[in-house]
Amino acid sequence: MTNPTRQRIIIVGGGTAGWIAAASLARFLPVQRYAVTLVESDEIGIVGVGEATIPQIRLLNAALGIDEYAFMRATQATYKLGIEFAGWGTQNSRYMHAFGTVGRPTGQVPFHHFWLRGARLGETAPLDAYAPNAQAGWANRFAKPDGGELAYAFHFDASLYATFLRNWAETRGVTRIEGRIVAVGRDQETGNVSDVQLENGQSVAGDLFIDCSGFRGLLIEGALETGYDDWSHWLPCDRALAVPCASSAELTPYTRSTAHTAGWQWRIPLQHRIGNGHVYCSAQISDDQAAAVLLANLDGVPLADPRPIRFTTGRRRQFWNRNVVAIGLAAGFLEPLESTSIHMVQSAIERVIRYLPNGPLQAADIAAYNIETGFEWERVRDFIILHYHVNDRPEPFWRECASMAVPQSLSDKIALFRANGRITRFNDELFAEVGWLQVLVGQGIIPQGYHPLVDAHSDKDIRELLSLLRQVIGRQVGTLPDHATFIAQHCPSGTY
Ligand SMILES: Cc1cc2nc3c(=O)[nH]c(=O)nc-3n(C[C@H](O)[C@H](O)[C@H](O)COP(=O)(O)OP(=O)(O)OC[C@H]3O[C@@H](n4cnc5c(N)ncnc54)[C@H](O)[C@@H]3O)c2cc1C
């Protein structure tokens, strides 16, 4: 028997966003007060990409009480220590945006100022020589932190991940309804969404709707016409081709992003295959050219034909409009250069829980939710633009990216770093100083100065500090097992 006082939360869509939302709501909302229903259509399916994550996903796993090895086995997952950027700053450059630390705590002045001074003294080791994650990554080694040396995330099969979370959510009370939504009902008086209507005639009524319907934005755009801020003047790539290929010899514990003539290619190693995709700007190269570039740069034989995906980078004008909250691709699109979208699903649902209505919807709650979410999106957007804007590649696409006007918030950040190597993290922006540092340096910016307090140390002290750190990291990494061996021992999927 249903309890008429329960609030009805309807999630539209069963991709990564829908099932993360469902699992999180099932975990945190009392079942006596909330009924969570998810509607999805197997016939439409999910976008099926989105296979690289950042370390915050471990907080989600911990919150849900998910056993990491069980999750890894179920999703053919591998570990991820960072992202290699090949050919981004210049055609031959290569750097790692590694998770975790760079250097070690050095009082009030961040470590990289010591590294900058060292460079003036003739120390040639690159920044990543001081990043344990980068060194472990380059050496294809991995072990779970014992005392917190390595920060890590995962690569996983997106379809298996949705299935895994679905099982988790369904066993904890989420009701799943299969069917294609063909119409969205509105309350005549309030204008709120009242129900979604399925092809088979069923109506699913709710109080709060979470739109996880993917690029379509069935409710947020289709029904409510919320509007979209187009960011493609800053991020002009608008298409992707995705293709899996057979695994290569070494199981690398990092994502690779390789810059091409008018875009870039991802490489995500899983236990049973490698996920690949070419993100490109259709104004600069044709689909056929893009497919040829993708297929020419695979490590193994392709396991399917390249699958096209189109997008417009940007965000909904409001993420929460009336009684609809858009999460995942329904909320907007930022290309997956830094594997941020799944995290933004996770943070959005945390925020929904924080602003959960208590009775009638409050305009102030909705406004606060939209401000917070907008800030998160804009700062991630800036970080992505940085990779394109600061480059020394010759092709027209890259020259245009280098000369474009970027958002003020980004040009301020670049100017601050260029002068004296300073990086400021504002409010809750996602990427910490150490993330910005690695990309700013990796793309080719070396600050003109460094913090004056570093000059309180002698040349000898600086050299010794740097040398000692390199030795310590080298020793630590040398004790780690091979990534593939670690997985084979702890969480093999069976076909590996
Ligand atoms: C090329 C590309 C690469 C990406 N790589 C990464 C990455 O490496 N890391 C990362 O974090 N993110 C990545 N992302 C983003 C990531 O894929 C998404 O954030 C994530 O998969 C969430 O998608 P979704 O659930 O919003 O949408 P979808 O997976 O598209 O799910 C939409 C759901 O809505 C349902 N639906 C739609 N219409 C109807 C209807 N009429 N009736 C009933 N059901 C309906 C569908 O059946 C489906 O269940 C990438 C995205 C793209 C495009």
Side-chain angles (χ1 to χ4, degrees), residues 316-348:
R316 296 284 165 220
R317 296 231 162 91
Q318 290 172 277
F319 300 95
W320 186 331
N321 186 3
R322 298 182 179 277
N323 63 336
V324 173
V325 191
I327 293 183
L329 298 172
F333 184 75
L334 278 169
E335 59 188 77
L337 195 52
E338 286 281 354
S339 316
T340 42
S341 297
I342 295 171
H343 170 73
M344 284 157 80
V345 167
Q346 187 184 329
S347 66

PDB file of all heavy atoms in Angstrom, residues 316-348:
ATOM      1  N   ARG A 316      22.547  24.739 -19.052  1.00  0.00           N
ATOM      2  CA  ARG A 316      21.182  25.291 -18.948  1.00  0.00           C
ATOM      3  C   ARG A 316      21.225  26.624 -18.210  1.00  0.00           C
ATOM      4  O   ARG A 316      21.996  26.778 -17.244  1.00  0.00           O
ATOM      5  CB  ARG A 316      20.271  24.358 -18.138  1.00  0.00           C
ATOM      6  CG  ARG A 316      20.035  23.028 -18.741  1.00  0.00           C
ATOM      7  CD  ARG A 316      19.085  23.006 -19.887  1.00  0.00           C
ATOM      8  NE  ARG A 316      19.260  21.707 -20.545  1.00  0.00           N
ATOM      9  CZ  ARG A 316      19.252  21.520 -21.838  1.00  0.00           C
ATOM     10  NH1 ARG A 316      19.033  22.514 -22.682  1.00  0.00           N
ATOM     11  NH2 ARG A 316      19.439  20.309 -22.334  1.00  0.00           N
ATOM     12  N   ARG A 317      20.354  27.542 -18.612  1.00  0.00           N
ATOM     13  CA  ARG A 317      20.323  28.845 -17.911  1.00  0.00           C
ATOM     14  C   ARG A 317      19.977  28.649 -16.440  1.00  0.00           C
ATOM     15  O   ARG A 317      20.480  29.361 -15.584  1.00  0.00           O
ATOM     16  CB  ARG A 317      19.278  29.749 -18.553  1.00  0.00           C
ATOM     17  CG  ARG A 317      19.620  30.083 -19.969  1.00  0.00           C
ATOM     18  CD  ARG A 317      19.570  31.578 -20.255  1.00  0.00           C
ATOM     19  NE  ARG A 317      20.305  31.796 -21.481  1.00  0.00           N
ATOM     20  CZ  ARG A 317      19.757  31.792 -22.690  1.00  0.00           C
ATOM     21  NH1 ARG A 317      18.448  31.637 -22.830  1.00  0.00           N
ATOM     22  NH2 ARG A 317      20.500  31.957 -23.758  1.00  0.00           N
ATOM     23  N   GLN A 318      19.091  27.690 -16.176  1.00  0.00           N
ATOM     24  CA  GLN A 318      18.817  27.305 -14.785  1.00  0.00           C
ATOM     25  C   GLN A 318      18.950  25.782 -14.702  1.00  0.00           C
ATOM     26  O   GLN A 318      18.369  25.078 -15.534  1.00  0.00           O
ATOM     27  CB  GLN A 318      17.400  27.676 -14.377  1.00  0.00           C
ATOM     28  CG  GLN A 318      17.146  29.155 -14.223  1.00  0.00           C
ATOM     29  CD  GLN A 318      15.668  29.378 -14.011  1.00  0.00           C
ATOM     30  OE1 GLN A 318      14.899  29.437 -14.955  1.00  0.00           O
ATOM     31  NE2 GLN A 318      15.274  29.455 -12.754  1.00  0.00           N
ATOM     32  N   PHE A 319      19.672  25.319 -13.712  1.00  0.00           N
ATOM     33  CA  PHE A 319      19.794  23.867 -13.541  1.00  0.00           C
ATOM     34  C   PHE A 319      18.547  23.345 -12.819  1.00  0.00           C
ATOM     35  O   PHE A 319      18.117  22.233 -13.017  1.00  0.00           O
ATOM     36  CB  PHE A 319      21.039  23.532 -12.721  1.00  0.00           C
ATOM     37  CG  PHE A 319      22.312  24.018 -13.366  1.00  0.00           C
ATOM     38  CD1 PHE A 319      22.869  25.235 -13.007  1.00  0.00           C
ATOM     39  CD2 PHE A 319      22.930  23.270 -14.352  1.00  0.00           C
ATOM     40  CE1 PHE A 319      24.036  25.686 -13.602  1.00  0.00           C
ATOM     41  CE2 PHE A 319      24.088  23.710 -14.958  1.00  0.00           C
ATOM     42  CZ  PHE A 319      24.645  24.933 -14.586  1.00  0.00           C
ATOM     43  N   TRP A 320      18.027  24.181 -11.937  1.00  0.00           N
ATOM     44  CA  TRP A 320      16.780  23.857 -11.219  1.00  0.00           C
ATOM     45  C   TRP A 320      15.753  24.895 -11.645  1.00  0.00           C
ATOM     46  O   TRP A 320      15.934  26.097 -11.418  1.00  0.00           O
ATOM     47  CB  TRP A 320      17.021  23.904  -9.715  1.00  0.00           C
ATOM     48  CG  TRP A 320      15.869  23.465  -8.850  1.00  0.00           C
ATOM     49  CD1 TRP A 320      14.533  23.537  -9.124  1.00  0.00           C
ATOM     50  CD2 TRP A 320      15.973  22.872  -7.550  1.00  0.00           C
ATOM     51  NE1 TRP A 320      13.805  23.029  -8.097  1.00  0.00           N
ATOM     52  CE2 TRP A 320      14.657  22.609  -7.107  1.00  0.00           C
ATOM     53  CE3 TRP A 320      17.027  22.537  -6.713  1.00  0.00           C
ATOM     54  CZ2 TRP A 320      14.386  22.036  -5.860  1.00  0.00           C
ATOM     55  CZ3 TRP A 320      16.760  21.974  -5.473  1.00  0.00           C
ATOM     56  CH2 TRP A 320      15.451  21.721  -5.058  1.00  0.00           C
ATOM     57  N   ASN A 321      14.692  24.426 -12.309  1.00  0.00           N
ATOM     58  CA  ASN A 321      13.638  25.317 -12.779  1.00  0.00           C
ATOM     59  C   ASN A 321      12.303  24.740 -12.320  1.00  0.00           C
ATOM     60  O   ASN A 321      11.987  23.586 -12.610  1.00  0.00           O
ATOM     61  CB  ASN A 321      13.701  25.391 -14.318  1.00  0.00           C
ATOM     62  CG  ASN A 321      12.720  26.411 -14.888  1.00  0.00           C
ATOM     63  OD1 ASN A 321      12.026  27.110 -14.153  1.00  0.00           O
ATOM     64  ND2 ASN A 321      12.661  26.486 -16.207  1.00  0.00           N
ATOM     65  N   ARG A 322      11.537  25.516 -11.617  1.00  0.00           N
ATOM     66  CA  ARG A 322      10.266  25.045 -11.023  1.00  0.00           C
ATOM     67  C   ARG A 322      10.530  23.780 -10.191  1.00  0.00           C
ATOM     68  O   ARG A 322      11.423  23.798  -9.353  1.00  0.00           O
ATOM     69  CB  ARG A 322       9.215  24.814 -12.113  1.00  0.00           C
ATOM     70  CG  ARG A 322       8.864  26.101 -12.874  1.00  0.00           C
ATOM     71  CD  ARG A 322       7.802  25.858 -13.897  1.00  0.00           C
ATOM     72  NE  ARG A 322       7.481  27.095 -14.583  1.00  0.00           N
ATOM     73  CZ  ARG A 322       6.639  28.021 -14.120  1.00  0.00           C
ATOM     74  NH1 ARG A 322       6.017  27.818 -12.985  1.00  0.00           N
ATOM     75  NH2 ARG A 322       6.412  29.134 -14.789  1.00  0.00           N
ATOM     76  N   ASN A 323       9.839  22.673 -10.512  1.00  0.00           N
ATOM     77  CA  ASN A 323      10.078  21.452  -9.714  1.00  0.00           C
ATOM     78  C   ASN A 323      10.908  20.427 -10.491  1.00  0.00           C
ATOM     79  O   ASN A 323      10.761  19.223 -10.298  1.00  0.00           O
ATOM     80  CB  ASN A 323       8.760  20.827  -9.238  1.00  0.00           C
ATOM     81  CG  ASN A 323       7.883  20.364 -10.397  1.00  0.00           C
ATOM     82  OD1 ASN A 323       8.014  20.867 -11.522  1.00  0.00           O
ATOM     83  ND2 ASN A 323       6.999  19.417 -10.135  1.00  0.00           N
ATOM     84  N   VAL A 324      11.766  20.951 -11.383  1.00  0.00           N
ATOM     85  CA  VAL A 324      12.633  20.074 -12.175  1.00  0.00           C
ATOM     86  C   VAL A 324      14.088  20.458 -11.947  1.00  0.00           C
ATOM     87  O   VAL A 324      14.464  21.630 -12.099  1.00  0.00           O
ATOM     88  CB  VAL A 324      12.302  20.202 -13.678  1.00  0.00           C
ATOM     89  CG1 VAL A 324      13.323  19.419 -14.513  1.00  0.00           C
ATOM     90  CG2 VAL A 324      10.880  19.710 -13.961  1.00  0.00           C
ATOM     91  N   VAL A 325      14.908  19.468 -11.589  1.00  0.00           N
ATOM     92  CA  VAL A 325      16.358  19.682 -11.477  1.00  0.00           C
ATOM     93  C   VAL A 325      17.029  18.844 -12.561  1.00  0.00           C
ATOM     94  O   VAL A 325      16.801  17.637 -12.633  1.00  0.00           O
ATOM     95  CB  VAL A 325      16.912  19.225 -10.107  1.00  0.00           C
ATOM     96  CG1 VAL A 325      18.346  19.701  -9.938  1.00  0.00           C
ATOM     97  CG2 VAL A 325      16.053  19.714  -8.971  1.00  0.00           C
ATOM     98  N   ALA A 326      17.838  19.507 -13.395  1.00  0.00           N
ATOM     99  CA  ALA A 326      18.535  18.775 -14.457  1.00  0.00           C
ATOM    100  C   ALA A 326      19.920  18.376 -13.970  1.00  0.00           C
ATOM    101  O   ALA A 326      20.663  19.199 -13.441  1.00  0.00           O
ATOM    102  CB  ALA A 326      18.652  19.643 -15.702  1.00  0.00           C
ATOM    103  N   ILE A 327      20.256  17.115 -14.164  1.00  0.00           N
ATOM    104  CA  ILE A 327      21.552  16.582 -13.732  1.00  0.00           C
ATOM    105  C   ILE A 327      22.134  15.755 -14.886  1.00  0.00           C
ATOM    106  O   ILE A 327      21.400  15.113 -15.629  1.00  0.00           O
ATOM    107  CB  ILE A 327      21.380  15.722 -12.456  1.00  0.00           C
ATOM    108  CG1 ILE A 327      20.965  16.622 -11.281  1.00  0.00           C
ATOM    109  CG2 ILE A 327      22.659  14.976 -12.106  1.00  0.00           C
ATOM    110  CD1 ILE A 327      20.833  15.922  -9.954  1.00  0.00           C
ATOM    111  N   GLY A 328      23.450  15.760 -14.989  1.00  0.00           N
ATOM    112  CA  GLY A 328      24.097  14.999 -16.062  1.00  0.00           C
ATOM    113  C   GLY A 328      24.020  15.762 -17.367  1.00  0.00           C
ATOM    114  O   GLY A 328      24.022  16.999 -17.390  1.00  0.00           O
ATOM    115  N   LEU A 329      23.941  15.043 -18.475  1.00  0.00           N
ATOM    116  CA  LEU A 329      23.961  15.699 -19.789  1.00  0.00           C
ATOM    117  C   LEU A 329      22.731  16.577 -19.988  1.00  0.00           C
ATOM    118  O   LEU A 329      22.750  17.484 -20.828  1.00  0.00           O
ATOM    119  CB  LEU A 329      24.061  14.647 -20.898  1.00  0.00           C
ATOM    120  CG  LEU A 329      25.355  13.804 -20.854  1.00  0.00           C
ATOM    121  CD1 LEU A 329      25.287  12.666 -21.873  1.00  0.00           C
ATOM    122  CD2 LEU A 329      26.577  14.676 -21.121  1.00  0.00           C
ATOM    123  N   ALA A 330      21.664  16.345 -19.248  1.00  0.00           N
ATOM    124  CA  ALA A 330      20.486  17.220 -19.339  1.00  0.00           C
ATOM    125  C   ALA A 330      20.790  18.609 -18.783  1.00  0.00           C
ATOM    126  O   ALA A 330      20.131  19.589 -19.119  1.00  0.00           O
ATOM    127  CB  ALA A 330      19.309  16.607 -18.572  1.00  0.00           C
ATOM    128  N   ALA A 331      21.817  18.705 -17.931  1.00  0.00           N
ATOM    129  CA  ALA A 331      22.169  20.003 -17.328  1.00  0.00           C
ATOM    130  C   ALA A 331      23.067  20.816 -18.232  1.00  0.00           C
ATOM    131  O   ALA A 331      23.131  22.048 -18.117  1.00  0.00           O
ATOM    132  CB  ALA A 331      22.875  19.767 -15.987  1.00  0.00           C
ATOM    133  N   GLY A 332      23.782  20.155 -19.129  1.00  0.00           N
ATOM    134  CA  GLY A 332      24.702  20.861 -20.022  1.00  0.00           C
ATOM    135  C   GLY A 332      25.834  19.940 -20.402  1.00  0.00           C
ATOM    136  O   GLY A 332      25.843  18.753 -20.048  1.00  0.00           O
ATOM    137  N   PHE A 333      26.799  20.503 -21.128  1.00  0.00           N
ATOM    138  CA  PHE A 333      27.906  19.653 -21.572  1.00  0.00           C
ATOM    139  C   PHE A 333      29.235  20.384 -21.493  1.00  0.00           C
ATOM    140  O   PHE A 333      29.389  21.491 -21.995  1.00  0.00           O
ATOM    141  CB  PHE A 333      27.678  19.173 -23.013  1.00  0.00           C
ATOM    142  CG  PHE A 333      28.761  18.224 -23.458  1.00  0.00           C
ATOM    143  CD1 PHE A 333      28.788  16.923 -22.996  1.00  0.00           C
ATOM    144  CD2 PHE A 333      29.784  18.655 -24.296  1.00  0.00           C
ATOM    145  CE1 PHE A 333      29.807  16.046 -23.362  1.00  0.00           C
ATOM    146  CE2 PHE A 333      30.808  17.784 -24.662  1.00  0.00           C
ATOM    147  CZ  PHE A 333      30.815  16.474 -24.207  1.00  0.00           C
ATOM    148  N   LEU A 334      30.191  19.726 -20.862  1.00  0.00           N
ATOM    149  CA  LEU A 334      31.590  20.152 -20.884  1.00  0.00           C
ATOM    150  C   LEU A 334      32.390  18.959 -21.361  1.00  0.00           C
ATOM    151  O   LEU A 334      32.201  17.851 -20.855  1.00  0.00           O
ATOM    152  CB  LEU A 334      32.053  20.552 -19.481  1.00  0.00           C
ATOM    153  CG  LEU A 334      31.688  21.961 -19.043  1.00  0.00           C
ATOM    154  CD1 LEU A 334      31.968  22.150 -17.561  1.00  0.00           C
ATOM    155  CD2 LEU A 334      32.470  22.993 -19.848  1.00  0.00           C
ATOM    156  N   GLU A 335      33.270  19.180 -22.327  1.00  0.00           N
ATOM    157  CA  GLU A 335      33.947  18.019 -22.883  1.00  0.00           C
ATOM    158  C   GLU A 335      34.773  17.307 -21.810  1.00  0.00           C
ATOM    159  O   GLU A 335      35.203  17.923 -20.827  1.00  0.00           O
ATOM    160  CB  GLU A 335      34.779  18.400 -24.097  1.00  0.00           C
ATOM    161  CG  GLU A 335      35.833  19.424 -23.814  1.00  0.00           C
ATOM    162  CD  GLU A 335      36.493  19.889 -25.115  1.00  0.00           C
ATOM    163  OE1 GLU A 335      35.896  20.693 -25.859  1.00  0.00           O
ATOM    164  OE2 GLU A 335      37.601  19.430 -25.373  1.00  0.00           O
ATOM    165  N   PRO A 336      35.008  16.003 -22.032  1.00  0.00           N
ATOM    166  CA  PRO A 336      35.539  15.166 -20.950  1.00  0.00           C
ATOM    167  C   PRO A 336      37.054  15.220 -20.774  1.00  0.00           C
ATOM    168  O   PRO A 336      37.661  14.257 -20.322  1.00  0.00           O
ATOM    169  CB  PRO A 336      35.099  13.761 -21.382  1.00  0.00           C
ATOM    170  CG  PRO A 336      35.004  13.822 -22.856  1.00  0.00           C
ATOM    171  CD  PRO A 336      34.571  15.203 -23.199  1.00  0.00           C
ATOM    172  N   LEU A 337      37.648  16.342 -21.089  1.00  0.00           N
ATOM    173  CA  LEU A 337      39.105  16.480 -21.039  1.00  0.00           C
ATOM    174  C   LEU A 337      39.670  16.214 -19.648  1.00  0.00           C
ATOM    175  O   LEU A 337      40.778  15.705 -19.498  1.00  0.00           O
ATOM    176  CB  LEU A 337      39.443  17.903 -21.488  1.00  0.00           C
ATOM    177  CG  LEU A 337      40.860  18.232 -21.856  1.00  0.00           C
ATOM    178  CD1 LEU A 337      41.419  17.266 -22.874  1.00  0.00           C
ATOM    179  CD2 LEU A 337      40.922  19.657 -22.398  1.00  0.00           C
ATOM    180  N   GLU A 338      38.941  16.582 -18.619  1.00  0.00           N
ATOM    181  CA  GLU A 338      39.408  16.383 -17.248  1.00  0.00           C
ATOM    182  C   GLU A 338      38.477  15.439 -16.473  1.00  0.00           C
ATOM    183  O   GLU A 338      38.455  15.453 -15.243  1.00  0.00           O
ATOM    184  CB  GLU A 338      39.550  17.729 -16.530  1.00  0.00           C
ATOM    185  CG  GLU A 338      40.764  18.544 -16.995  1.00  0.00           C
ATOM    186  CD  GLU A 338      42.089  18.061 -16.385  1.00  0.00           C
ATOM    187  OE1 GLU A 338      42.066  17.175 -15.523  1.00  0.00           O
ATOM    188  OE2 GLU A 338      43.148  18.582 -16.801  1.00  0.00           O
ATOM    189  N   SER A 339      37.677  14.672 -17.208  1.00  0.00           N
ATOM    190  CA  SER A 339      36.822  13.630 -16.590  1.00  0.00           C
ATOM    191  C   SER A 339      35.947  14.192 -15.467  1.00  0.00           C
ATOM    192  O   SER A 339      35.840  13.597 -14.385  1.00  0.00           O
ATOM    193  CB  SER A 339      37.686  12.500 -16.010  1.00  0.00           C
ATOM    194  OG  SER A 339      38.713  12.138 -16.884  1.00  0.00           O
ATOM    195  N   THR A 340      35.306  15.302 -15.732  1.00  0.00           N
ATOM    196  CA  THR A 340      34.608  15.999 -14.651  1.00  0.00           C
ATOM    197  C   THR A 340      33.100  15.729 -14.573  1.00  0.00           C
ATOM    198  O   THR A 340      32.477  16.013 -13.552  1.00  0.00           O
ATOM    199  CB  THR A 340      34.808  17.519 -14.804  1.00  0.00           C
ATOM    200  OG1 THR A 340      34.679  17.869 -16.182  1.00  0.00           O
ATOM    201  CG2 THR A 340      36.172  17.933 -14.309  1.00  0.00           C
ATOM    202  N   SER A 341      32.500  15.201 -15.648  1.00  0.00           N
ATOM    203  CA  SER A 341      31.031  15.183 -15.694  1.00  0.00           C
ATOM    204  C   SER A 341      30.408  14.271 -14.639  1.00  0.00           C
ATOM    205  O   SER A 341      29.402  14.630 -14.030  1.00  0.00           O
ATOM    206  CB  SER A 341      30.546  14.760 -17.075  1.00  0.00           C
ATOM    207  OG  SER A 341      30.972  15.703 -18.012  1.00  0.00           O
ATOM    208  N   ILE A 342      31.010  13.102 -14.457  1.00  0.00           N
ATOM    209  CA  ILE A 342      30.419  12.186 -13.468  1.00  0.00           C
ATOM    210  C   ILE A 342      30.537  12.814 -12.076  1.00  0.00           C
ATOM    211  O   ILE A 342      29.616  12.746 -11.264  1.00  0.00           O
ATOM    212  CB  ILE A 342      31.083  10.794 -13.543  1.00  0.00           C
ATOM    213  CG1 ILE A 342      30.768  10.167 -14.901  1.00  0.00           C
ATOM    214  CG2 ILE A 342      30.611   9.898 -12.399  1.00  0.00           C
ATOM    215  CD1 ILE A 342      31.519   8.883 -15.209  1.00  0.00           C
ATOM    216  N   HIS A 343      31.655  13.471 -11.852  1.00  0.00           N
ATOM    217  CA  HIS A 343      31.778  14.161 -10.558  1.00  0.00           C
ATOM    218  C   HIS A 343      30.696  15.233 -10.404  1.00  0.00           C
ATOM    219  O   HIS A 343      30.126  15.416  -9.317  1.00  0.00           O
ATOM    220  CB  HIS A 343      33.152  14.811 -10.405  1.00  0.00           C
ATOM    221  CG  HIS A 343      33.171  15.705  -9.209  1.00  0.00           C
ATOM    222  ND1 HIS A 343      33.196  15.198  -7.921  1.00  0.00           N
ATOM    223  CD2 HIS A 343      33.052  17.044  -9.092  1.00  0.00           C
ATOM    224  CE1 HIS A 343      33.125  16.201  -7.076  1.00  0.00           C
ATOM    225  NE2 HIS A 343      33.040  17.327  -7.751  1.00  0.00           N
ATOM    226  N   MET A 344      30.410  15.943 -11.494  1.00  0.00           N
ATOM    227  CA  MET A 344      29.411  17.018 -11.379  1.00  0.00           C
ATOM    228  C   MET A 344      27.998  16.450 -11.174  1.00  0.00           C
ATOM    229  O   MET A 344      27.128  17.124 -10.622  1.00  0.00           O
ATOM    230  CB  MET A 344      29.502  17.949 -12.585  1.00  0.00           C
ATOM    231  CG  MET A 344      30.736  18.855 -12.426  1.00  0.00           C
ATOM    232  SD  MET A 344      31.354  19.496 -13.945  1.00  0.00           S
ATOM    233  CE  MET A 344      30.249  20.828 -14.239  1.00  0.00           C
ATOM    234  N   VAL A 345      27.782  15.214 -11.603  1.00  0.00           N
ATOM    235  CA  VAL A 345      26.524  14.529 -11.278  1.00  0.00           C
ATOM    236  C   VAL A 345      26.473  14.277  -9.768  1.00  0.00           C
ATOM    237  O   VAL A 345      25.481  14.573  -9.092  1.00  0.00           O
ATOM    238  CB  VAL A 345      26.441  13.172 -12.033  1.00  0.00           C
ATOM    239  CG1 VAL A 345      25.333  12.305 -11.478  1.00  0.00           C
ATOM    240  CG2 VAL A 345      26.261  13.409 -13.538  1.00  0.00           C
ATOM    241  N   GLN A 346      27.585  13.764  -9.283  1.00  0.00           N
ATOM    242  CA  GLN A 346      27.692  13.440  -7.853  1.00  0.00           C
ATOM    243  C   GLN A 346      27.497  14.691  -6.998  1.00  0.00           C
ATOM    244  O   GLN A 346      26.740  14.695  -6.025  1.00  0.00           O
ATOM    245  CB  GLN A 346      29.100  12.867  -7.664  1.00  0.00           C
ATOM    246  CG  GLN A 346      29.442  12.305  -6.349  1.00  0.00           C
ATOM    247  CD  GLN A 346      30.938  11.884  -6.335  1.00  0.00           C
ATOM    248  OE1 GLN A 346      31.498  11.495  -7.363  1.00  0.00           O
ATOM    249  NE2 GLN A 346      31.568  11.975  -5.198  1.00  0.00           N
ATOM    250  N   SER A 347      28.150  15.788  -7.377  1.00  0.00           N
ATOM    251  CA  SER A 347      28.030  16.986  -6.547  1.00  0.00           C
ATOM    252  C   SER A 347      26.632  17.588  -6.681  1.00  0.00           C
ATOM    253  O   SER A 347      26.101  18.158  -5.730  1.00  0.00           O
ATOM    254  CB  SER A 347      29.117  18.012  -6.885  1.00  0.00           C
ATOM    255  OG  SER A 347      28.953  18.508  -8.168  1.00  0.00           O
ATOM    256  N   ALA A 348      26.018  17.449  -7.867  1.00  0.00           N
ATOM    257  CA  ALA A 348      24.663  17.995  -8.037  1.00  0.00           C
ATOM    258  C   ALA A 348      23.666  17.275  -7.131  1.00  0.00           C
ATOM    259  O   ALA A 348      22.830  17.912  -6.488  1.00  0.00           O
ATOM    260  CB  ALA A 348      24.233  17.881  -9.498  1.00  0.00           C
TER     261      ALA A 348
END
